[in-house]
């Protein structure tokens, strides 16, 4: 695709109907910083868009795709302390829990039992949903319809940005099935993986992660994080 046709294609992608936006304000807990910015959900925004379309749209707005993962039945609650995150559901449905830490290691107990902090929210996520997760906000994916907690990384890595040539190599072999999400991060941001309690006493450092110049999906529109994260 030429640069001209790519630009035109992205313009078409951005010309959408009014976007449905849901905001969730999650206060800090004893173990999780969360954020003063709200968690943003765009239900169904990228439904029926291809992996490459979403990749190109986010890249045009200064966000790098880093991973595509097929999720298992559950995972450890975690957060990123040095970067904001965009997670896009590419197939399937699952429950996402935001805002609280696991308090025991047993995955069954911290997923369906009492092994978690009080509070937080649970959202039923479906194909096309986009979540803009501020730095410090805990999240956990479960009830994906898979019987094992193991997940499958469909891209070469999950802790570094995908270059376009990487994406071109892996895209033809990616088969979307089960509950699959794509993860993207602001260009130039750091990446880490933290669990409850790791930033006790230094929440301000996490809250201080810079606001991106553009929303990954809505760009400079005030309907996105540009206008929603004050």
């Amino acid at each position: 695709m030429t640069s001209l046709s790519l630009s035109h294609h992205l313009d078409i992608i951005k010309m959408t109907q009014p976007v449905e936006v849901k905001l969730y304000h999650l206060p800090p807990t004893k173990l999780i910083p969360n954020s003063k910015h709200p968690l943003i959900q765009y239900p169904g925004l990228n439904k029926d868009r291809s992996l490459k379309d979403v990749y190109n749209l986010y890249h045009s707005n200064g966000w790098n795709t880093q991973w595509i993962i097929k999720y298992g039945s559950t995972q450890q609650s975690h957060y990123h302390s040095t970067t904001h995150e965009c997670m896009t559901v590419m197939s399937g449905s699952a429950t996402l829990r935001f805002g609280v830490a696991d308090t025991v290691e047993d995955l069954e107990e911290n997923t369906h039992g009492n092994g978690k902090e009080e509070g937080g929210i649970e959202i039923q996520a479906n194909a096309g949903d986009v979540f803009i997760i501020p730095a410090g906000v805990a999240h956990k994916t479960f009830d994906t319809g898979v019987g094992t907690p193991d997940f499958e990384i469909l891209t070469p890595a999950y802790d570094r940005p995908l270059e376009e040539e990487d994406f071109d190599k892996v895209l033809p072999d990616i088969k979307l099935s089960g509950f699959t999400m794509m993860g993207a991060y602001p260009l130039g941001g750091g990446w880490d993986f933290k669990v409850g309690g790791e930033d006790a006493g230094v929440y301000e450092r996490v809250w201080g992660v810079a606001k991106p110049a553009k929303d990954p999906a809505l760009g400079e529109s005030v309907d996105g994080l540009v206008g929603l994260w004050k």
Side-chain angles (χ1 to χ4, degrees):
M1 184 179 292
T2 68
S3 59
L4 179 61
S5 61
L6 174 58
S7 175
H8 177 65
H9 188 55
L10 291 172
D11 287 342
I12 292 173
I13 290 175
K14 293 174 183 177
M15 292 170 55
T16 61
Q17 296 297 316
V19 176
E20 181 182 1
V21 181
K22 294 184 178 182
L23 301 180
Y24 308 90
H25 296 269
L26 296 162
T29 71
K30 182 179 179 180
L31 299 175
I32 298 295
N34 287 316
S35 177
K36 297 180 181 181
H37 296 311
L39 166 70
I40 302 172
Q41 179 189 11
Y42 304 133
L45 180 65
N46 281 334
K47 190 174 183 181
D48 300 325
R49 288 180 181 164
S50 71
L51 289 168
K52 193 61 181 290
D53 281 347
V54 176
Y55 172 89
N56 285 335
L57 174 62
Y58 291 176
H59 194 75
S60 76
N61 287 320
W63 288 64
N64 280 328
T65 296
Q66 194 156 297
W67 49 260
I68 301 169
I69 291 175
K70 180 179 178 181
Y71 282 72
S73 58
T74 190
Q75 65 174 163
Q76 188 177 29
S77 179
H78 62 284
Y79 65 93
H80 310 294
S81 72
T82 58
T83 187
H84 309 297
E85 180 176 46
C86 174
M87 297 198 311
T88 301
V89 183
M90 300 307 301
S91 66
S93 62
T95 301
L96 271 60
R97 179 184 297 154
F98 294 96
V100 292
D102 296 335
T103 55
V104 299
E105 292 185 4
D106 182 84
L107 286 173
E108 177 59 29
E109 182 63 17
N110 63 38
T111 300
H112 298 112
N114 297 318
K116 63 180 180 66
E117 290 185 294
E118 293 292 327
I121 58 169
E122 293 184 358
I123 301 172
Q124 185 69 16
N126 300 294
D129 288 358
V130 179
F131 296 89
I132 313 296
I133 307 170
V137 171
H139 46 286
K140 175 189 185 82
T141 300
F142 61 99
D143 287 355
T144 62
V146 176
T148 170
D150 296 334
F151 60 78
E152 182 181 356
I153 302 170
L154 303 178
T155 43
Y158 66 89
D159 57 355
R160 66 168 178 83
L162 281 170
E163 301 297 336
E164 188 159 7
E165 53 266 30
D166 291 332
F167 204 86
D168 288 337
K169 289 177 183 176
V170 302
L171 181 61
D173 297 323
I174 293 178
K175 309 297 182 185
L176 294 177
S177 64
F179 185 75
T180 306
M181 286 200 290
M182 170 187 285
Y185 305 86
L187 196 149
W191 186 90
D192 61 4
F193 183 104
K194 291 192 173 182
V195 298
E198 288 197 55
D199 281 301
V202 292
Y203 284 1
E204 291 82 2
R205 184 183 67 196
V206 182
W207 298 336
V209 174
K211 172 182 169 180
K214 296 181 181 181
D215 186 286
L218 303 186
E220 296 177 334
S221 170
V222 295
D223 294 332
L225 68 80
V226 171
L228 298 173
W229 286 3
K230 303 298 184 182

